[in-house]
Amino acid sequence: MPPRFSPAEIQRDYDRHPAGFVALGEGGSAIHRAVWGPGVRRVADAFHYVEDQVAERIQRLPLEIETPHIVDLGCGIGASVCYLAGRFPAVRGTGITLSPVQARLAEDAVKQAGLSERVVCLEGDYCALPAGVQPADLAYAIESFVHGPDPARFFEECRRLIRPGGLLVICDDFKRPTSDRAAVSAIERFTRGWHVNTLIDRDELQAIARTAGFAHEATTDLSRYLELNRPRDRAIGLLMALVGWVPVHWSRFDHLLGGDALQQCLEQGWIGYDFAVFRRAGEAGPKGPALPRTYGT
């Protein structure tokens, strides 16, 4: 069965929205969500919370990996890979995005951060990685997995990409069990508005990963740390209710409509926001002590 949205449609959507995402968001160049996890007190830290959880996994890589290579699968405008490379001066990073617009913005961000010798962001499909991408010690997908056309292909490509013993991190939205009829309509609005191809549950995710040779290590539900029903969210909800009565073209409001539906799904527990960690089958050698917490220049 073909995906609901083709890679070309996802690319056009990415090309159309990056500047607006940054302008409307609170996280500067970070496009993903703020997570007010344990110990978080500042907005900036909330927007880096997921990346900091990835950073903890980088620190646990074996010490004999002197220059770890990390790959951002759906890197957007490069904020996450630049942040992580900035924290760890020994890390090399590669970002992959379908959007040529985002790829150009990401390369600009890499240059501005002074990371051009260690970080590159490429236009490409994470389900068919560009030639020349080096094997990864750790790969991650933050809020990009749901857009992929086929989760099985995603994991198969990750198996080719990640070294034996390496880690794969996925942080995204996943379905929760529900018999509520209202969930069907809300989830449809979310998937249509945000061009979602892959909305599965935890069991499906783990089964697909296992088939591709990835062992599930941990899943953390971050849903309760998301800030929902903010004043801006309520204002968007009112606007979207009005849009339903006005004859306007859907694409002008697709992300707002999808985001409003996602808010409802998260509040009702129909969808959850999970941080899942998998390990690629095979031995990478004994683990050494953690890498030092180095925060770059």
Side-chain angles (χ1 to χ4, degrees):
M1 182 188 223
R4 180 172 185 176
F5 301 101
S6 69
E9 289 174 301
I10 300 293
Q11 177 194 317
R12 284 195 298 271
D13 190 52
Y14 285 164
D15 287 347
R16 197 172 41 156
H17 289 294
F21 284 151
V22 174
L24 291 173
E26 301 173 271
S29 60
I31 293 177
H32 53 257
R33 284 166 247 177
V35 180
W36 293 85
V40 173
R41 297 290 180 268
R42 302 183 306 157
V43 171
D45 295 333
F47 276 101
H48 287 307
Y49 183 82
V50 171
E51 295 156 344
D52 288 338
Q53 306 315 299
V54 175
E56 287 189 12
R57 273 67 187 182
I58 295 173
Q59 288 178 299
R60 298 178 197 172
L61 292 172
L63 192 62
E64 57 266 26
I65 303 175
E66 294 181 358
T67 56
H69 180 219
I70 63 173
V71 176
D72 187 332
L73 301 165
C75 69
I77 59 175
S80 294
V81 71
C82 286
Y83 176 77
L84 291 167
R87 280 195 58 171
F88 299 103
V91 160
R92 296 177 297 112
T94 300
I96 308 293
T97 175
L98 273 176
S99 165
V101 174
Q102 288 188 344
R104 288 195 297 271
L105 291 171
E107 278 299 292
D108 289 342
V110 169
K111 291 175 185 175
Q112 290 174 10
L115 296 169
S116 296
E117 292 185 1
R118 294 190 289 119
V119 177
V120 62
C121 292
L122 306 172
E123 179 188 346
D125 184 345
Y126 59 47
C127 284
L129 288 168
V133 176
Q134 297 298 306
D137 301 292
L138 180 148
Y140 61 91
I142 301 175
E143 298 177 24
S144 58
F145 177 76
V146 293
H147 299 296
D150 183 343
R153 277 173 50 196
F154 172 88
F155 276 100
E156 288 165 5
E157 197 70 355
C158 285
R159 180 174 174 80
R160 292 201 313 116
L161 170 68
I162 299 170
R163 302 178 196 275
L167 293 177
L168 171 63
V169 175
I170 300 172
C171 186
D172 221 318
D173 298 300
F174 294 92
K175 285 194 300 188
R176 299 291 193 256
T178 180
S179 57
D180 194 324
R181 291 186 177 181
V184 176
S185 174
I187 289 172
E188 164 62 19
R189 294 197 311 275
F190 163 55
T191 56
R192 181 168 48 146
W194 275 24
H195 289 68
V196 169
N197 280 318
T198 298
L199 187 64
I200 58 178
D201 63 32
R202 291 174 174 177
D203 291 342
E204 291 175 280
L205 179 73
Q206 293 174 27
I208 295 167
R210 191 163 50 247
T211 298
F214 285 88
H216 175 245
E217 290 210 335
T219 292
T220 305
D221 186 348
L222 300 179
S223 308
R224 65 188 182 277
Y225 301 126
L226 297 175
E227 190 176 11
L228 303 176
N229 206 26
R230 298 165 298 176
R232 71 188 294 270
D233 299 322
R234 292 195 294 272
I236 290 171
L238 290 172
L239 174 63
M240 293 304 97
L242 177 63
V243 166
W245 296 94
V246 178
V248 295
H249 194 271
W250 167 271
S251 64
R252 295 182 186 178
F253 296 96
D254 52 1
H255 275 269
L256 292 178
L257 286 161
D260 182 56
L262 176 59
Q263 287 271 322
Q264 181 185 3
C265 290
L266 289 165
E267 287 179 343
Q268 297 297 326
W270 301 330
I271 287 176
Y273 187 68
D274 288 343
F275 183 94
V277 182
F278 300 89
R279 188 173 296 276
R280 161 83 150 81
E283 278 297 324
K287 287 188 178 181
L291 294 169
R293 284 187 177 271
T294 308
Y295 286 83
T297 56

